[in-house]
Amino acid sequence: MTRPGLLLSCCFLVAAGSGLRDMAHAANDLAVYDDGLRSSWENWSWASVDFASTAVVHSGATSIAVTAGPFTAMWLRHSQFDTTSFGNVTFWINGGPVGGQRLRVAATIADSGQPFGFDIASLQANTWQQITIPLTALGAASSTTFTGFWIQEFAGADQPTYYVDDVGITSSVPIVPAPALDHGMALYDDRFAEGWDNWSWASVDGANIAPSNSGTSSVAVRSGPFTALAFHHAAMDTTTFASLTFWVNVGPQGGQVVNLRALRSGNLTAQSFTLPTAPDPQQPWHKVTVPLDALGIAGAPDLTDIWFQEMAGADQTANPYFIDDLRLDLGPAPAAVHVTVDADQRLRTVDPRLFGINANVWDGAFNTSTTADLLLEADNRALRFGGGSLSDMYHWQTNTSEGETFQWATNLDAFANVALATDARVFITANYGSGSPEEAAAEVKYANKTKRYDFKYWEIGNENYGPWEFDNNTRPHDPVTYATRFAEYFRQMKAVDHGIKIGAVVVAGEDSFANYPDESAVNPRTAATHVGWNAVLLATLAKLGVTPDFVIYHRYEQGPNGESDSFLLNAARTWGNDAAAIRGMLNDYLGAAAKQVEIVCTENNSVFSNTGKQTTSLVNGLFMADSLANIMKTEFDGFFWWNLRNGQDLANNNKFSLYGWRQYGDYGIVTAATPAGPADRYPTFYVKKLLQHFARGGERVIAATGDYTGLGAYAVRDPRTHGLNLLLINKHPVATLDVKITVKGFHPARPADVFSYGIPQDEAARTGLGSADIARSKTTVHGSTFTWRPAPYSATVIQLTRDHDHDDDDDHDHGHDHGRDHDHRR
């Protein structure tokens, strides 16, 4: 949903007064209305519309006067045509003498209104403003069955007359960049947003259809005495935020006494804000912005709760009020950001298996030179095959799924062709849900003995704790059954090739996925009883005397339809918590044997299902970089992004409030086009390619800290070049940061290579103008303290070379293997 006020940053606002024609169409622009509907355009409106109004005119002699009842619309309709050569819908609009109308624009495809609506901010009285909406934002780009668009009343109320003039559809590249800027973090955006839970003890309907300020729903609150609409979040830092904004509708009666309150670490602050609750039948929705310092949470490290609490001790269940579009507003960036890199504080050595990606049986373009070239271009180091939930239905010998006869596009041999050509370390997922230890052992024999692929890492099943996973065992998703069968998989597969490594599936919590309450395990260290998947699984393996070579963890940051750019860009900080939790459980249940067990993540992405535009946006590329950089600081030895190719999905969260111009989701980092052009590579591909200049295995992760959470700062030392590589991720959507960098224990020489990817490259992929590829440049570094100014929404790698005139530590590791791996081939 478009935020009220967002229009100012996305469209042109022009005051009244021009008497000239302002459409200024290019030769192949399409005029829709100028003093009358153009040929082939029809009035299909169901609001009251006058196409020859002279009351308020932008240019020429007439305009369209629209008097809209609840949810009625002006619909300008055309017979079906192709929009491939067009970019925007554009028109001028005036709120008339009263103003305040709440309107939404939607395209029609084959005369069907599309779900991708564009919300116009409340119209200003007696003021003309030009609205320019990219067809991508309406779900109508490159449509062959476009039939026009409507402007619909969206507050569910009778509206004063407004006026529309100079309507057209412009050609070629959209005039205005399509990406929206989500300047903050949503708490409610048609639903409780990602990371924010409903902890209310008032009667609350979070899917109230009418009235709503924008989008499809609002929160209806029916308060008893001292009850509250309550939003809860894990303790979060508010440093990057300035205020809390929401829209409130107190209904026809109003008069509720409601205080806005905040809690830090579960404790109420002393400050509060009283909501305005006087009813206004002419404009029932009111925008409220509250500075965070007025709630006692400015710069707080531990905001946990936001309450809207009834404070009069009165029963207001029959007098509801409504809240919509609640968000934390991003504050201005600090004048200076400080980053300190300590080259002497080493955290770990980088494993090349951290630079992996998933490949799938449905990828018909996988076994091609295009795929091999793309993987080599991105310097991919590891591949996982047969992964995802399909793996628990997939039979490798027939290349079919359980109960099906059709064959998948890519079989084991086709996968091996590309894996060998790109020298990738390989993880294979064996079928647990419908397979057998014998089937898995036969796969090991075929791959490593018959074909001599030497695939080293083998996973038993996918997410077998989850009810979504296919499992035809008598007790599906049962940790005891899984552990018992894992032992047999382990025995039979190792009997074929004792050199392979075999992994078991785990989760992050000791009590997570307690699928069978009749099963439990006692933690040997704490003596506490637990019923979760990990506890029962690990205790059963210990009892059987079987220790997996590694454990497999999957992590997706958000659920569908609640995606938040701000949330995603701050989500990766907790990888260390997951690593510590998993290692703690391994140590507790497996004892000394746990030391030999590696931890790998073989799936990570933005959202766990129903991909929307965020997955194909620049934001997801920046998240990928942040996720990888954070996991590199932990003991995880493998990291695989989900996935190489997946397929575009148009039907999910494509809200304009999310950054990005692609109006579709896709888990993949590239499309299936072969050969692949610049726009066939998503930002996640380019960021993966960028990161090869930061690390690819053998580097030493060193400490890097900053004083602004809107900047991710990470560093490694490369013993091969004796250099130091710095990764900076600017998470601010509009601010170029002034970063002061101090490097300790390393003296950089003056010339430094710089690699970056951000908005200009993503826009080049959209427009076809300029280069969509990684930007390369050089900079001069003066001493151990220098300044860099990363652009908004960008990832930058700065490669510092060592000044040989200084006598710092040179990472003398002569004779050590700094090659691609230490585990011998795949």
Side-chain angles (χ1 to χ4, degrees):
M1 118 188 8
T2 302
R3 295 287 172 266
L6 182 61
L7 204 57
L8 294 175
S9 65
C10 297
C11 304
F12 301 110
L13 211 61
V14 180
S18 172
L20 301 176
R21 260 301 164 211
D22 288 296
M23 282 294 291
H25 290 299
N28 56 345
D29 285 350
L30 185 63
V32 177
Y33 176 91
D34 50 6
D35 286 351
L37 280 177
R38 288 296 187 95
S39 176
S40 300
W41 286 92
E42 302 171 296
N43 174 22
W44 280 34
S45 306
W46 67 102
S48 176
V49 175
D50 176 3
F51 282 85
S53 173
T54 58
V56 181
V57 177
H58 177 250
S59 65
T62 63
S63 68
I64 308 171
V66 185
T67 306
F71 303 111
T72 60
M74 177 189 77
W75 181 2
L76 305 183
R77 197 262 183 191
H78 195 286
S79 58
Q80 293 184 8
F81 70 93
D82 191 334
T83 64
T84 300
S85 61
F86 296 99
N88 306 291
V89 169
T90 183
F91 54 87
W92 289 77
I93 194 165
N94 187 308
V98 178
Q101 298 90 343
R102 298 287 301 148
L103 306 171
R104 165 175 280 196
V105 181
T108 56
I109 305 297
D111 292 334
S112 177
Q114 296 305 290
F116 315 111
F118 182 96
D119 295 340
I120 302 175
S122 296
L123 298 187
Q124 301 177 45
N126 297 319
T127 302
W128 283 103
Q129 56 182 344
Q130 186 181 24
I131 307 297
T132 301
I133 308 171
L135 290 175
T136 54
L138 299 176
S142 301
S143 170
T144 59
T145 56
F146 179 73
T147 54
F149 63 94
W150 62 54
I151 303 175
Q152 184 178 25
E153 194 285 328
F154 216 73
D158 288 332
Q159 297 290 343
T161 300
Y162 65 91
Y163 302 86
V164 178
D165 205 351
D166 299 329
V167 184
I169 299 177
T170 61
S171 62
S172 189
V173 175
I175 294 172
V176 181
L181 297 178
D182 184 356
H183 289 181
M185 174 185 284
L187 282 73
Y188 181 86
D189 182 2
D190 285 349
R191 54 163 277 178
F192 282 75
E194 195 61 44
W196 291 93
D197 298 318
N198 180 7
W199 279 28
S200 305
W201 66 101
S203 176
V204 167
D205 178 5
N208 175 68
I209 297 174
S212 65
N213 178 58
S214 64
T216 59
S217 61
S218 65
V219 183
V221 187
R222 295 170 173 82
S223 300
F226 303 109
T227 60
L229 162 65
F231 294 80
H232 175 77
H233 196 285
M236 62 169 288
D237 193 318
T238 66
T239 302
T240 59
F241 302 107
S243 56
L244 186 73
T245 292
F246 57 93
W247 288 72
V248 60
N249 181 332
V250 298
Q253 180 178 339
Q256 305 92 339
V257 180
V258 180
N259 276 12
L260 177 63
R261 314 182 75 183
L263 288 75
R264 294 180 52 182
S265 297
N267 299 308
L268 280 166
T269 64
Q271 297 94 320
S272 65
F273 174 85
T274 301
L275 268 64
T277 56
D280 183 349
Q282 293 299 318
Q283 191 166 336
W285 284 100
H286 292 273
K287 183 178 181 180
V288 180
T289 298
V290 183
L292 294 189
D293 55 9
L295 298 174
I297 54 173
D302 56 350
L303 171 64
T304 53
D305 303 88
I306 297 291
W307 290 356
F308 292 80
Q309 187 172 22
E310 197 284 329
M311 297 301 291
D315 188 345
Q316 296 286 349
T317 54
N319 183 26
Y321 65 94
F322 308 89
I323 299 292
D324 204 353
D325 301 331
L326 175 65
R327 63 187 306 97
L328 285 162
D329 300 312
L330 195 64
V337 179
H338 300 89
V339 169
T340 300
V341 179
D342 188 346
D344 294 324
Q345 188 178 344
R346 304 179 188 179
L347 306 180
R348 64 167 293 179
T349 299
V350 179
D351 194 301
R353 291 171 294 170
L354 291 169
F355 308 97
I357 198 160
N358 279 268
N360 302 104
V361 297
W362 60 76
D363 184 356
F366 185 80
N367 189 22
T368 63
S369 59
T370 294
T371 297
D373 290 343
L374 286 167
L375 292 172
L376 291 170
E377 179 183 344
D379 197 18
N380 184 71
R381 295 297 177 95
L383 284 169
R384 177 178 181 240
F385 180 66
S389 295
L390 185 62
S391 62
D392 281 308
M393 304 175 65
Y394 177 69
H395 298 288
W396 72 273
Q397 290 163 313
T398 59
N399 194 32
T400 61
S401 289
E402 178 76 8
E404 302 290 347
T405 57
F406 69 88
Q407 292 191 329
W408 289 101
T410 300
N411 62 18
L412 184 66
D413 289 319
F415 165 78
N417 288 341
V418 176
L420 295 173
T422 60
D423 195 24
R425 290 142 197 82
V426 169
F427 283 62
I428 301 289
T429 308
N431 183 343
Y432 169 84
S434 61
S436 67
E438 291 76 16
E439 181 181 27
E443 187 173 14
V444 174
K445 182 178 181 180
Y446 177 81
N448 289 358
K449 300 302 181 182
T450 303
K451 304 295 287 190
R452 306 189 69 83
Y453 294 147
D454 195 19
F455 292 160
K456 188 168 185 178
Y457 302 99
W458 297 77
E459 304 176 40
I460 307 306
N462 189 56
E463 295 165 358
N464 306 103
Y465 46 81
W468 56 85
E469 204 76 12
F470 186 84
D471 190 336
N472 64 6
N473 287 281
T474 302
R475 283 169 67 100
H477 321 297
D478 171 28
V480 171
T481 302
Y482 179 85
T484 304
R485 295 192 70 214
F486 177 89
E488 190 58 24
Y489 275 83
F490 191 91
R491 184 188 68 79
Q492 292 196 32
M493 294 166 73
K494 291 257 186 175
V496 174
D497 185 349
H498 64 84
I500 64 173
K501 304 292 185 182
I502 300 177
V505 173
V506 299
V507 294
E510 199 165 0
D511 290 301
S512 301
F513 294 96
N515 298 333
Y516 290 93
D518 62 328
E519 297 172 345
S520 63
V522 176
N523 185 307
R525 178 179 60 84
T526 66
T529 299
H530 298 277
V531 294
W533 172 272
N534 278 8
V536 177
L537 164 67
L538 295 174
T540 305
L541 287 176
K543 184 177 180 180
L544 294 171
V546 176
T547 302
D549 297 302
F550 60 97
V551 291
I552 307 137
Y553 176 58
H554 291 176
R555 171 165 159 166
Y556 292 87
E557 307 302 330
Q558 305 169 104
N561 299 314
E563 295 97 315
S564 161
D565 287 344
S566 181
F567 176 86
L568 186 65
L569 290 174
N570 288 280
R573 300 174 187 170
T574 59
W575 274 108
N577 299 340
D578 291 358
I582 294 170
R583 175 53 62 191
M585 288 180 281
L586 291 172
N587 291 340
D588 287 350
Y589 288 96
L590 299 182
K595 293 180 181 179
Q596 71 189 50
V597 181
E598 292 184 314
I599 306 174
V600 299
C601 172
T602 57
E603 290 185 25
N604 180 227
N605 207 309
S606 158
V607 63
F608 63 72
S609 70
N610 300 90
T611 55
K613 64 185 283 189
Q614 189 185 68
T615 54
T616 56
S617 76
L618 174 58
V619 167
N620 207 30
L622 300 181
F623 164 68
M624 171 198 269
D626 206 38
S627 195
L628 175 61
N630 274 282
I631 207 172
M632 280 173 55
K633 297 192 294 184
T634 74
E635 67 161 296
F636 275 89
D637 293 307
F639 177 77
F640 291 74
W641 188 255
W642 181 267
N643 58 11
L644 178 63
R645 291 190 184 91
N646 204 78
Q648 295 174 2
D649 193 340
L650 301 173
N652 300 312
N653 188 353
N654 296 309
K655 292 178 182 177
F656 205 69
S657 57
L658 293 171
Y659 189 96
W661 55 270
R662 300 168 182 86
Q663 293 296 310
Y664 53 83
D666 194 336
Y667 278 127
I669 65 171
V670 294
T671 74
T674 177
D680 296 311
R681 299 158 165 87
Y682 298 139
T684 44
F685 173 86
Y686 286 116
V687 170
K688 183 177 178 67
K689 178 179 177 180
L690 169 79
L691 291 174
Q692 68 184 287
H693 302 291
F694 177 59
R696 272 302 183 266
E699 300 84 1
R700 312 288 192 264
V701 181
I702 57 178
T705 57
D707 61 0
Y708 177 56
T709 56
L711 179 77
Y714 311 94
V716 299
R717 290 201 65 176
D718 190 338
R720 291 157 294 200
T721 64
H722 308 298
L724 187 153
N725 301 335
L726 180 64
L727 170 64
L728 300 175
I729 305 170
N730 184 354
K731 305 174 187 180
H732 200 291
V734 295
T736 297
L737 301 178
D738 191 10
V739 184
K740 312 295 184 184
I741 303 164
T742 300
V743 182
K744 299 178 179 178
F746 182 89
H747 296 277
R750 288 191 175 185
D753 290 318
V754 180
F755 306 85
S756 61
Y757 181 84
I759 293 173
Q761 290 72 39
D762 188 35
E763 279 295 284
R766 178 180 68 86
T767 64
L769 304 175
S771 174
D773 208 348
I774 297 162
R776 302 182 178 212
S777 60
K778 287 186 177 291
T779 189
T780 300
V781 176
H782 298 283
S784 295
T785 299
F786 61 98
T787 299
W788 185 257
R789 304 187 75 242
Y793 272 180
S794 67
T796 304
V797 174
I798 304 173
Q799 293 183 334
L800 302 175
T801 56
R802 187 173 65 86
D803 186 345
H804 292 281
D805 292 335
H806 289 81
D807 209 11
D808 64 344
D809 177 12
D810 193 21
D811 264 355
H812 292 292
D813 286 326
H814 300 299
H816 188 74
D817 177 15
H818 297 303
R820 300 263 317 224
D821 206 339
H822 309 309
D823 62 7
H824 181 61
R825 290 191 66 200
R826 287 159 292 281

